[in-house]
Amino acid sequence: MPVSHLTVAPLPMPKELEAPAVAVDPNAIAPFQDELPVPPAMHLDERRGHPVCEVVLSNKLVQVHRALGRATPVWSYDIWDNKAKRWLAEDCYLGPTLVVRRGQRVTVVYENGLCWYLPVTAVQVELTGLPQPGAADPLAANAPGRANARVIPGTDQLYAWAVTHLHGGRSGAMYDGWTENAMLPPRTETETDAKGRKHEVEMPGKTQASVYENEQRATMLWYHDHGMGVTRFNVMAGLAGAYLIRDPREEKALARRGIHLPAAPCDVPLVIQDRNLDAADDGRLNGRLLHKSTSATAEFFGPYTLVNGVIWPKMSVQRRRYRLRLLNGSNARTYCLKLVTDDGAGKATEVPLDQLVRQIGGDGGLLAQPVTLPKGTPVPVPADGKPIPTTDGLILGSAERADLYVDFGKLGDDVKSVILVNTAFAPFHQFTVQHPDPNPDPTQVETDPTTGKPVPAVAAGRAVPGMRLPYPWVMRFDLGARPDSDPATDLISPPAGQDLKLVADPGPTSHQDLPGAPDPHGHRLVALVENPPGMLMMYELAETTVGQAGQFTPLAEGGLITVQDVDDQGKAVFKTYAPGAHGQFTPVGSGGPIAIQDVDEQGKP
């Protein structure tokens, strides 16, 4: 049939999912009003053979804060529960948690069932200058609403061009969710033939079938949208969810050593994301999510912190041991997390993390032994004897995960609740609320209006709006009773020699274990650095000393990086790096060839 005209229109929004009109005072978005939701789990690990799971990308109306009610439209993942005849996570901003066994082959069929256009308002504000002393936020990036901003052209008519990626999974290339392999939403195309007759045609291409072998160590991964050019919008719209790999062999090996980690319901995923909310011209919130960035960079920093899809929630816990699996699901924000108590009068008192927290795992599975989190002890540099300013707390970059063991029973009965707070500025650097720059740029710090001097170091839990930390809160843990017994093993003060070392993992654990790996082999260090205009640049680093820095071209004067390494005898040494002779991977000027070392079919360089 000859076609003279072709139009594409997404399916209309069902009436029951149209967002109601709301107008909420921003002051009503108070912390710790909502209970922490835990996304429901789909236990594929309980199935035999090669299970198939259908995950549908669907429209939802959710409640991100009780003051707004169920008024926030999102795109999200969901699974139809055929027994209960309902959607598994219809009230959740995040998708269901998929649980599998190590080595279990599963097929996940993603179906794009999304209607209408992007449920996020996407705007840009102009970069008028760096933050000024005492200014709340001159970039207006922390403020709700779209004042002095313009809608990014096309985003208000962006329908769901999506593809799903299993982040951290060892996936075959064809199942990895490449950004171009989009699945389209259910849509009709109107064809007009040569005689002017119109025909409505429903188009194919709305599914993606991914086979996951799960041949990797037990850990928490996450699945999220990966669409080319629109990932930041689609993930903010809600297309993300947790993915847990369990390993019965690992659990039995630990049990034989007398180690029992906290299990459900004390094994809880916590997905942390920063978000913003749209508002009317009068400043009242309408419940819609807002993506606000500057025209100079695509980085996004939002004022509100969501955990499992709710703004600043609270979680009731017993005074016992918990396993908290944290994921930083934010677009760009890095967190430095700490615990504080609040006396009710606004005074925050820090709770030392080593008193009740151990990190037991990361992105790739359990660590060899529980470790305490950094305490901020200055590290001396042998080259000049000056200490390197360091920070403390749990630092999580975008998409990074941390497996934490937390014993709330270590807190005294006088402590009724503890608050998880963020102390990191945005964009993140080595300085935080408690560890400010000793030689600050006066245009980028808060100053005392009386003395004009930088605000001194303060306790965790303090807001610093000018550094894009308008609210420090993440969530609150409300402490209940002590149980008569706790089956989980004490890892805060364990018996000597107790660790998490497991049976030998069949996979390679170091470079030397890889087939054909050169021995000895070298390393290349690469730094991802944000330059003053806001552009992220990749620099290859070369070892140097402070005295040799002049022969390099650092991004800024004194732009050196000192890292702690080990020598051949396993002793700690310090090495200083600067942008090396190869310069930037993408030079600013013309020319600038890039040399790549590859290997031939025999594995030779």
Side-chain angles (χ1 to χ4, degrees), residues 136-137 142-143 302-304 333 462-473:
D137 186 12
N142 288 335
Y304 302 111
R333 186 180 291 274
R462 184 181 185 278
V464 186
M467 299 303 289
R468 297 191 184 91
L469 184 60
Y471 307 108
W473 314 303

Side-chain angles (χ1 to χ4, degrees), residues 94 220 241-242 269-273 306-309 325-329:
L94 298 173
M220 184 173 81
L270 300 177
V271 180
I272 304 172
Q273 300 166 302
L306 278 66
V307 184
N308 291 355
R325 302 175 187 253
L326 273 63
L327 158 67
N328 178 1

Side-chain angles (χ1 to χ4, degrees), residues 29-324:
I29 309 299
F32 321 131
Q33 300 298 304
D34 296 84
E35 292 292 335
L36 173 80
V38 177
M42 171 56 71
H43 280 275
L44 300 177
D45 60 327
E46 297 176 353
R47 301 184 188 179
R48 296 182 177 180
H50 179 171
V52 177
C53 177
E54 184 177 18
V55 178
V56 180
L57 286 66
S58 58
N59 296 75
K60 299 178 185 177
L61 274 178
V62 300
Q63 177 177 300
V64 297
H65 192 279
R66 66 170 52 191
L68 294 167
R70 192 166 175 260
T72 300
V74 299
W75 288 345
S76 183
Y77 296 102
D78 212 341
I79 297 174
W80 177 254
D81 186 336
N82 199 44
K83 291 183 179 179
K85 302 301 179 184
R86 65 175 180 84
W87 291 103
L88 197 62
E90 60 183 350
D91 297 323
C92 296
Y93 173 62
L94 298 173
T97 298
L98 302 182
V99 185
V100 301
R101 295 188 311 275
R102 178 175 180 172
Q104 179 187 28
R105 194 173 195 234
V106 303
T107 295
V108 180
V109 178
Y110 302 97
E111 179 179 341
N112 192 337
L114 296 169
C115 302
W116 209 232
Y117 300 111
L118 180 72
V120 173
T121 302
V123 300
Q124 286 182 339
V125 293
E126 293 303 318
L127 185 65
T128 57
L130 294 174
Q132 299 300 313
D137 186 12
L139 300 183
N142 288 335
R146 60 180 96 168
N148 302 317
R150 66 181 184 89
V151 174
I152 299 175
T155 55
D156 55 344
Q157 296 291 306
L158 180 64
Y159 63 88
W161 191 87
V163 62
T164 301
H165 168 67
L166 180 59
H167 195 118
R170 292 182 182 175
S171 305
M174 66 185 298
Y175 304 125
D176 192 53
W178 288 5
T179 57
E180 300 93 340
N181 293 351
M183 49 181 171
L184 298 173
R187 73 210 189 286
T188 59
E189 293 186 353
T190 303
E191 297 180 349
T192 304
D193 62 23
K195 295 183 179 181
R197 293 174 299 190
K198 295 183 177 181
H199 305 270
E200 296 293 327
V201 180
E202 184 172 347
M203 302 302 293
K206 64 179 182 178
T207 60
Q208 166 196 345
S210 292
V211 178
Y212 302 133
E213 303 289 348
N214 298 307
E215 285 290 357
Q216 59 192 101
R217 294 190 60 197
T219 187
M220 184 173 81
L221 313 177
W222 65 303
Y223 61 102
H224 62 79
D225 178 74
H226 211 216
M228 173 66 78
V230 295
T231 297
R232 64 193 187 278
F233 300 136
N234 288 359
V235 173
M236 173 164 287
L239 291 175
Y243 187 102
L244 289 182
I245 301 178
R246 298 194 179 278
D247 187 350
R249 282 194 320 156
E250 180 180 85
E251 294 167 3
K252 291 178 181 178
L254 291 173
R256 285 195 293 269
R257 298 197 187 113
I259 299 176
H260 302 275
L261 298 179
C266 298
D267 183 354
V268 185
L270 300 177
V271 180
I272 304 172
Q273 300 166 302
D274 64 332
R275 296 291 182 256
N276 205 342
L277 295 173
D278 197 7
D281 293 340
D282 62 0
R284 297 175 72 84
L285 304 176
N286 59 23
R288 189 178 175 90
L289 293 169
L290 176 70
H291 187 288
K292 182 189 286 188
S293 60
T294 68
S295 57
T297 174
E299 281 182 311
F300 168 86
F301 302 110
Y304 302 111
T305 300
L306 278 66
V307 184
N308 291 355
V310 168
I311 298 174
W312 307 318
K314 58 184 177 179
M315 177 184 179
S316 297
V317 297
Q318 291 183 308
R319 296 176 187 268
R320 61 181 300 173
R321 297 151 189 159
Y322 283 77
R323 186 175 186 178
L324 303 180

Side-chain angles (χ1 to χ4, degrees), residues 338-342 347-353 415 417-421 423 434 459-462 473 475-477:
K338 309 194 76 171
L339 287 172
V340 300
T341 59
D342 192 334
K347 180 182 179 181
T349 303
E350 184 179 342
V351 179
L353 291 179
V415 179
S417 64
V418 289
I419 302 171
L420 186 66
V421 298
T423 66
Q434 292 178 292
R462 184 181 185 278
W473 314 303
M475 64 177 295
R476 189 180 74 190
F477 298 96

Side-chain angles (χ1 to χ4, degrees), residues 515-518 596-605:
I596 300 176
Q597 181 177 357
D598 206 343
V599 294
D600 60 17
E601 294 177 353
Q602 284 73 43
K604 297 180 180 179

